Amino acid sequence: MRNSFNEEELTVVVTHRSALTEEIVELEFRNADGSDLPAWDPGSHIEIVLSESVIRQYSLCGDPSDRGCWRIAVLREADGRGGSLQIHEELHVGSSVAVRGPRNLFPLRPSPNYVFIAGGIGITPMLPMVSAAAKAGARWSIHYGGRSRRSMAFAEKLLEIDGAGVRLYPQDEVGVIDLNSALGQPDTDTLVYCCGPEALLRAVEDRCRSSWPSDALCIERFSPKSVDSSAGDDSFEVELMQSSMTVTVNPGQSILSALEEVGVPVLASCMEGTCATCEVAVLEGVPDHRDSVLTEREREDNKTMMICVSRAAGSRIVLDL
């Protein structure tokens, strides 16, 4: 199961806002009552509750040792689902907003060596990771790409940490990130962390799958990846061990929806398999995993599943609910 997550909503106030680029704004939040905010570590994100139906996750990109404030950076996505536009247009200094968290689905594991690969706004979870790696005395490099140098919000901040480990790839100057340079030498003592657009994530996954140790790669997705739903969308039964109930999930229906219809409450947020809020332990049966969170090893273990998107690979599955 993922790390524990504080589901209680906390009211925070925007105390600083700055435009990092034409499309990226950085926001600083402080507790409305002036007290310290919950602790977090590199890789953590918070959920911003913009309305009952609009809840978005953003990586914390500040200093984990500063309990007084949280910082996030938000890319304005004109063709997105509306959350980023709402933040850009409605959250200003003095604005209050409800948040949940922090939660960490992308933890920085101890290692003597790291390779960080970031594309676009995927740089945000990497900033505290790079700082932590540097403070720990680990050997590290980061390969950071963007459409142009002007769009790369945190290039200067990375160079301030240690310019020797930073490789910048403004696409209009040098092209895309050189994965031959970044991943050309597989190393059993090195972890690879990657976050960014889907094309970059897929390319890094393919490269690491063919030559790197199976557990070397750690990825975070901001949007769901496309999945092969080869098991189809046939109906199946879900047995709830704790509730002593059996529920039928119809074609085209999610497990989560079916449980809600019979009054079984389950925490959920993103509804697209990226936040892990609805993760449930699997006691019997084989899941048809369609999420964007579980690692390959976790999928093979079949011990948990995200019931907002994943289904049963057979006619029956037993969940710890």
Side-chain angles (χ1 to χ4, degrees), residues 232-234 236 249-253 287-288 290 305 309-313:
D233 282 332
D234 296 334
F236 58 93
V249 181
N250 296 314
Q253 183 182 34
D288 172 18
R290 303 186 184 187
M305 67 185 299
V309 292
S310 298
R311 303 177 64 78

Side-chain angles (χ1 to χ4, degrees), residues 34 56 75 79 104 114 123 132 146 153 172 185 208 289 295 302:
R56 299 291 184 265
L75 172 67
D79 298 326
N104 199 341
Y114 297 95
I123 188 63
D172 60 347
Q185 296 295 327
C208 287
H289 295 291
T295 65
N302 286 323

Side-chain angles (χ1 to χ4, degrees), residues 36-54:
D36 282 350
L37 292 164
W40 61 282
D41 49 13
S44 296
H45 70 265
I46 56 173
E47 292 186 344
I48 298 184
V49 185
L50 298 167
S51 71
E52 185 176 339
S53 60
V54 182

Side-chain angles (χ1 to χ4, degrees), residues 80-143:
R81 295 178 296 155
S84 68
L85 294 179
Q86 193 170 340
I87 287 175
H88 273 251
E89 295 170 1
E90 298 180 11
L91 293 190
H92 302 277
V93 173
S95 298
S96 297
V97 68
V99 298
R100 299 172 186 162
R103 186 174 201 169
N104 199 341
L105 306 180
F106 195 41
L108 185 67
R109 292 152 48 194
S111 178
N113 307 305
Y114 297 95
V115 174
F116 300 104
I117 303 173
I121 198 63
I123 188 63
T124 50
M126 301 293 188
L127 292 171
M129 289 185 174
V130 169
S131 294
K135 289 177 182 177
R139 185 165 56 88
W140 61 271
S141 64
I142 182 164
H143 300 256

Side-chain angles (χ1 to χ4, degrees), residues 262-275:
V262 297
V264 178
V266 181
L267 290 173
S269 178
C270 73
M271 311 304 291
E272 58 184 17
T274 59
C275 75

